[in-house]
Amino acid sequence: MTCHFYRDNSNTNQKYLNLNSQNLFVMVAYGALNGESLTKHSVVKETKNIVQFPVTSNETFKSLSFDEFSLEWVERTKEIDFILKTKVSETNNFWSSFAFSFDRNMGDDNGIVCKVFDSQFAVEHFYSSGKFRPNLLSELDPSLGLSKIKVNIANGILTCSFSREKIIKDVPNYFDSKFDYFILFAKGPINSNGAMMSHKENKYSSENLINLQSMNNQENLITFSIPDLATAPTTTTKPIIGMYERDDFSLKWKNFAEKIHFTFVTKNVDKNSNFYSAFAFSKDDLMGDDDVIACKIASNPTYKVERHYNQGRSKSPYLIDSNRNIGISETNISLSDNTFTCSFMIDKSNSNVANYADLNNKWYVLFAFGNLGSDMSLTEHSIKKSGTIEIDFTDQNQQTTTTSMTLEPIGDVTSTGNFSSNGYSLSWKNTENYTICSGGFGAILSKNNRFKRQTNAPDSYVAFGLSNDKKMGDDCIVVCKMFNNIGTVEHHYSTGKTTPGYLKPDEPTIGIRDATVINENGNLFCNYTRKKTIEGTERYCDLKKNNYYLQIVKGSVSNNDIQNHGQSVVISDEKIDFKINGTFSGSKRDSTKAKAHACIMIFAWLFCVSTGIILARYYKYILPSVKIQKMMFWFHAHRVLMIFAPICSIAAFLVILADLEWKWVEKINKVAFAHSIFGIVLIGLSLIQVLMGFLRPDKDAKIRPLFNVVHRFTGVSCLVLAVVACYLGVFIERMNLGNDGWGILVGWTLWVIILPLLIEIAQISCFKSKSESYELKGEQAEIKSKTNTKLVRISLVLFNDY
């Protein structure tokens, strides 16, 4: 049993023994408990001489060493002396460091860095989030908490000695030496600007947690053996270290006997004050009936960690209004580089408080971010993330809950590659277990927005697909999307027939880590690291064994769901081996046939059909005596144009079917599917219309009036269907018609409305009466209505202008 604590040196209580300058005996006892009461001790020991307080060190150092690093330390009253030695091959422009960490992985660490730059020595105090270059604990005082600094290089050994204060309570991310930590080591180069570069493979970690407290003055040391007691514990609890992440939120914890230490991090925060970030312990993955821990920053600034109860339907009250931070202690809050970090201890349980989450049980973890009220109360969240799995905070096997895999070291880069085509790009670095990717659409002009929450960014996405062929379907897709100014990177899977869904529904980011999304001036770009393979995960594309075609698309996002990308698709010319060095290219999906289809249909229906209708409706009166082969000109022209329309339509239909590889358009493409339905119905009616024209009864036949009505109705129906199909066609993204397409279609629509309207007005004003009786054969043609010269002139001008 190891017990760490602080004791005040003095107190006004008369029974309190003051340790400022007294000489005292020290006694130690060991015994069993009866409930919470002490029973008579089984062992008691006392110092054989008086101990003078405060105790000073006996100068006996503890040590920890690896191949290239050694660390020695000895505890003083208020500080710890350290000596770091590193084997080096350089004499200038490099760094060496060690860090205190809650686990053996880099991230959420408090480190001390010894630097040699331009032959100048420095020792500085840093905090590392794990993904980016470490930040100084204090920009104004880089050596905050450090003193007695000495640095030298001799015989290929960098020796760096200093004293570190045990704790500075008001400094965020300054780790208290009373806790046990893993100790991490790393070294690397410094660039020409004095910035630390990546350590690459030069990193090590202690196998076990290290106790930094080494007060052991041998003169006053008390040692004794522990006897066997019936009530003594027979097992010990190994500290649990776990982590859970959802997009910009991450939660790490370390389990102790009665408490759990949490480190809660929120990334991409675009505020300096008056906000909260919170996580909640919930019985399910929905908000409501939850124990909420809220980290708050007011405008004062005031930093607080408080406990609320979320009822799910109204404003969340405090769990206990008289004790708003019940069960919470040792809080530490910081906001640096748009990252909000909040660490604290929580009592595992409190049976006397209603709705207090017992952390010995399993819980879903929910996250939320929002603005604070004027009284530091929680307003409705602007961001929320629901839990995906139940977490057992005391389960030794549950080391991480972010993915179904163990987070392996990224490792050394063995090859690099890049792909670019038509404004799309993707570059990658290959390591043993991961592929590190950067890509998107367009160019990112600034690097300042890389880690900030976006403002006024359009809801859009860019996606990178791995496919066994050049067709959509059976593909692994990494989707980088921006919705409500928040960027996320998710792993999807496409069957090709429906909207892609998550590769693993309960784990949207499976295989993805270290992700960022940027949207600048409408250009979307993202960085992410993808695990090459995950055993046991169905449909996960294995980049260790297989090569794939790369497909890149972009599109819009609605209600956080990706929408159809249309035909803005770029496909690599060949399968890519992501394990080798190389530069690859591709091409945009060819739209030549689709545009040929559109051109033929526009000619058939916007020109031929509309002109044929105008001729039949008005030119029997405008040109009553113009004949071809003893038959009226308007009838010849009308018949040729109307026969030509379905012929062109069938040709256009075959062209688009060939473009789609003789498959009907999928229902997932809603606009294109609707366009296809209107189009096929239109073609069918146009064929019926031509057939009716050939079967036209004589003028004196009884069914001639019925034929006229049906013929005209079918013709008008075809025109309406054509108009709807054309407008739907302009909406199809693949066509990329833009303003030109809208201009042509709107102009034609106005013309087809205005021209008949003008002619009808002219007829009303110029004719006293009009008869529709006529004969097709020239010699018998009788026009009972008199042609008005003004009407002929108006109509000819309008038609010739068209």
Side-chain angles (χ1 to χ4, degrees), residues 278-281 290-294 306-310 316 378:
F279 68 92
F281 304 111
D290 312 320
D291 183 358
V292 180
I293 311 297
E306 296 181 328
R307 204 157 192 158
H308 292 254
Y309 175 66
N310 177 22
S316 299
L378 307 184

Side-chain angles (χ1 to χ4, degrees), residues 296 304 306-309 316-326 353-354 375 377:
K296 309 176 180 180
K304 289 186 177 181
E306 296 181 328
R307 204 157 192 158
H308 292 254
Y309 175 66
S316 299
Y318 292 101
L319 192 63
I320 294 183
D321 192 56
S322 59
N323 186 3
R324 297 181 177 183
N325 61 345
I326 185 168
V353 179
D375 57 351
S377 60

Side-chain angles (χ1 to χ4, degrees), residues 11 81 118 152 223 228 259 276 320 512 515 545 599 703 724:
N11 191 285
D81 292 345
D118 273 353
N152 67 75
T223 61
D228 292 330
K259 297 176 181 286
Y276 71 89
I320 294 183
I512 303 295
K545 299 178 180 178
C599 290
I703 62 171
V724 174

